[in-house]
């Protein structure tokens, strides 16, 4: 790979941004002697590693992270646990035989970018968010960053929970005396989809995107499983896409996606007929998760990814619950960068090409 920054005037697709970020990553890795490897494939990705050979007294480093952010992550057990999440692609594409790379090792990882920002000691220190960042996100300064939350999205189905009794004797006694205070009716519990939220800040859920190709697609049948779907969305206004059968494989894989493709999108070539799917499946689930948790929801993505922004606004336009729709937001990395400390701004510009929204890229 040869480092060649892209012009701000170019149209940025997922593939174009991936190539640019990997070129930047290799340039940084070679010029700064950072531990890294390159995956195989038609479009290789740069994978960074933890430098365990730092000189005595020096701080351990990881090429995918700002040094101050990485030190803060390693010092926080809840944050460092996120570093151990295995990437879904590591079995298909290996950097080298003895390196089981993780999701946040990938130069394109949106979660690594998220942690680079919100774990930086000038952004979150002594249990408080920087005031400028908190104001930009409309959250209190005492909001605690919680990465990889699974709040649960209620489904339409419910299941009955059988009352457990400690012994057959206890059950017989209950039947004998018919004590209303001790006899329990069978309660019902809503089934839930364990949708992952990238970041929770107080009452705000954040979904972070960078080079992901889309927000996933799904059949209407899968979306109709969710209990609050019609409450929040005018289903007929949700964005749709027609998928035509094809035997061609994509030229490159996006190693920044956390989730495996859904059953409805994994193998479009298996059917001989075109079909209509709903776009923004991931966003729909996240919005429903926020509604069920009485929270707000924000999409955080790159300003260069107009395709992702368009899908989000298409989903947003279908939201028709008046007192909840105002809680749905969009923020770009470039807008967020305006509130960050200078050393972090410089890091984001060099590694990701992300410049603050109030100044032009170099």
């Amino acid at each position: 790979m040869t480092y060649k920054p892209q012009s701000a005037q170019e149209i940025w697709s997922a593939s174009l941004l991936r190539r640019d970020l990997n070129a930047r990553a290799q340039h940084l890795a070679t010029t700064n002697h950072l531990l890294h490897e390159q995956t195989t494939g038609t479009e290789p990705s740069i994978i960074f590693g933890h430098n365990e050979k730092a000189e005595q007294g020096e701080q351990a480093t990881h090429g995918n992270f700002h040094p101050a952010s990485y030190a803060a992550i390693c010092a926080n057990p809840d944050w460092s646990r996120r570093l151990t999440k295995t990437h879904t692609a590591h079995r298909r594409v290996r950097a080298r035989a003895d390196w089981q790379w993780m999701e946040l090792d990938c130069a394109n990882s949106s979660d690594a970018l998220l942690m680079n920002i919100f774990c930086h000691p000038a952004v979150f220190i002594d249990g408080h968010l920087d005031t400028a960042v908190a104001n930009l996100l409309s959250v209190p300064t005492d909001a605690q960053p919680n990465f990889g939350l699974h709040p649960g999205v209620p489904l339409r189905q419910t299941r009955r929970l059988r009352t457990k009794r400690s012994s057959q004797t206890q059950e017989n006694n209950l039947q004998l005396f018919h004590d209303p205070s001790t006899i329990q009716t069978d309660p019902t519990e809503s089934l839930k989809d364990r949708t992952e939220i990238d970041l929770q800040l107080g009452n705000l859920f954040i979904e972070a995107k960078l080079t992901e190709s889309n927000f996933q697609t799904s059949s209407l049948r899968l979306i109709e499983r969710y209990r609050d779907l019609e409450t929040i969305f005018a289903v007929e206004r949700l964005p749709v896409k027609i998928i035509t059968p094809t035997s061609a494989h994509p030229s490159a894989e996006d190693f920044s996606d956390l989730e495996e493709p859904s059953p409805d999108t994994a193998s479009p070539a298996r059917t001989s007929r075109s079909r209509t799917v709903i776009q923004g499946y991931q966003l729909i689930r996240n919005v429903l998760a926020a509604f069920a948790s009485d929270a707000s929801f924000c999409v955080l993505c790159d300003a260069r990814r107009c395709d992702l922004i368009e899908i989000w606004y298409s989903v947003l336009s279908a939201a028709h619950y008046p007192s909840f729709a105002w809680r749905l937001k969009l923020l770009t990395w470039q807008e967020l960068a305006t509130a960050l400390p200078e050393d972090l701004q410089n890091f984001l510009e060099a590694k990701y090409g992300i410049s603050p929204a109030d100044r032009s890229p170099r």
Side-chain angles (χ1 to χ4, degrees):
M1 294 182 190
T2 302
Y3 174 56
K4 183 181 179 182
Q6 299 294 330
S7 167
Q9 283 71 42
E10 291 190 58
I11 298 175
W12 291 87
S13 64
S15 180
L16 179 61
L17 185 55
R18 280 196 296 272
R19 289 197 295 270
D20 185 72
L21 295 189
N22 280 302
R24 288 175 179 274
Q26 186 176 59
H27 176 73
L28 289 172
T30 54
T31 56
N32 295 285
H33 307 290
L34 301 173
L35 179 63
H36 72 288
E37 286 287 344
Q38 182 173 293
T39 64
T40 58
T42 56
E43 189 173 313
S45 292
I46 298 300
I47 307 298
F48 288 100
H50 174 82
N51 182 12
E52 298 178 348
K53 298 181 179 180
E55 297 293 334
Q56 187 173 6
E58 291 185 1
Q59 182 175 285
T61 60
H62 190 298
N64 215 28
F65 294 92
H66 186 287
S69 299
Y70 189 63
I73 292 170
C74 292
N76 186 316
D78 291 333
W79 294 353
S80 61
R81 194 176 300 118
R82 190 74 168 162
L83 299 176
T84 64
K85 182 165 186 176
T86 304
H87 199 292
T88 56
H90 89 277
R91 295 181 184 276
R92 303 194 304 272
V93 180
R94 302 194 69 87
R96 66 185 188 196
D98 61 343
W99 192 344
Q100 183 181 355
W101 52 283
M102 304 299 173
E103 197 280 330
L104 272 72
D105 294 338
C106 182
N108 299 335
S109 171
S110 54
D111 283 302
L113 172 55
L114 194 68
M115 297 190 79
N116 264 316
I117 293 174
F118 287 95
C119 298
H120 190 282
V123 175
F124 184 77
I125 187 169
D126 295 331
H128 288 81
L129 279 173
D130 173 73
T131 302
V133 173
N135 290 341
L136 187 60
L137 293 167
S138 299
V139 297
T141 57
D142 60 355
Q144 306 293 301
N146 184 6
F147 299 96
L149 176 72
H150 294 88
V153 188
L155 303 175
R156 294 184 188 278
Q157 298 88 348
T158 59
R159 61 185 174 193
R160 288 196 171 275
L161 301 178
R162 295 181 179 274
T163 303
K164 294 183 179 180
R165 297 177 174 86
S166 60
S167 65
Q168 185 64 41
T169 301
Q170 180 182 10
E171 180 179 359
N172 292 339
N173 288 340
L174 289 174
Q175 293 175 349
L176 177 64
F177 296 106
H178 298 288
D179 183 357
S181 65
T182 56
I183 297 179
Q184 301 178 18
T185 58
D186 287 345
T188 59
E189 179 185 45
S190 295
L191 295 176
K192 293 184 178 181
D193 178 346
R194 283 179 54 81
T195 292
E196 182 176 88
I197 301 298
D198 292 334
L199 173 62
Q200 177 193 22
L201 284 172
N203 207 34
L204 177 67
F205 291 172
I206 294 177
E207 175 68 22
K209 292 296 180 188
L210 186 60
T211 65
E212 290 85 349
S213 300
N214 53 55
F215 289 107
Q216 301 182 350
T217 61
S218 171
S219 67
L220 179 60
R221 175 183 57 83
L222 284 180
I223 292 178
E224 288 177 335
R225 298 176 303 154
Y226 296 100
R227 185 193 68 190
D228 302 319
L229 180 66
E230 288 85 0
T231 301
I232 300 303
F233 294 105
V235 179
E236 69 278 5
R237 297 211 307 263
L238 287 171
V240 298
K241 178 181 180 180
I242 298 177
I243 295 181
T244 55
T246 175
S247 59
H249 295 283
S251 59
E253 293 187 80
D254 178 4
F255 297 121
S256 57
D257 280 321
L258 279 172
E259 298 180 83
E260 293 284 8
S262 65
D264 286 77
T265 61
S267 301
R270 293 180 183 176
T271 177
S272 60
R273 296 181 298 176
S274 298
R275 57 200 177 92
T276 302
V277 294
I278 305 295
Q279 292 196 89
Y281 176 49
Q282 197 175 20
L283 294 175
I284 293 168
R285 286 156 37 208
N286 289 344
V287 168
L288 294 174
F291 177 74
S293 300
D294 194 25
S296 299
F297 175 68
C298 178
V299 174
L300 185 54
C301 72
D302 200 294
R304 296 166 288 185
R305 294 297 308 281
C306 296
D307 53 339
L308 294 184
I309 294 174
E310 182 178 349
I311 294 175
W312 168 231
Y313 278 124
S314 296
V315 171
L316 183 60
S317 68
H320 65 171
Y321 194 87
S323 61
F324 178 71
W326 66 270
R327 298 186 186 181
L328 308 177
K329 315 169 186 180
L330 170 74
L331 185 70
T332 66
W333 299 111
Q334 287 79 1
E335 290 170 322
L336 179 57
T338 62
L340 302 179
E342 185 176 359
D343 68 316
L344 188 51
Q345 286 183 348
N346 293 337
F347 174 82
L348 297 181
E349 190 163 6
K351 187 175 187 301
Y352 298 99
I354 293 174
S355 303
D358 57 1
R359 79 169 186 257
S360 301
R362 293 173 184 172

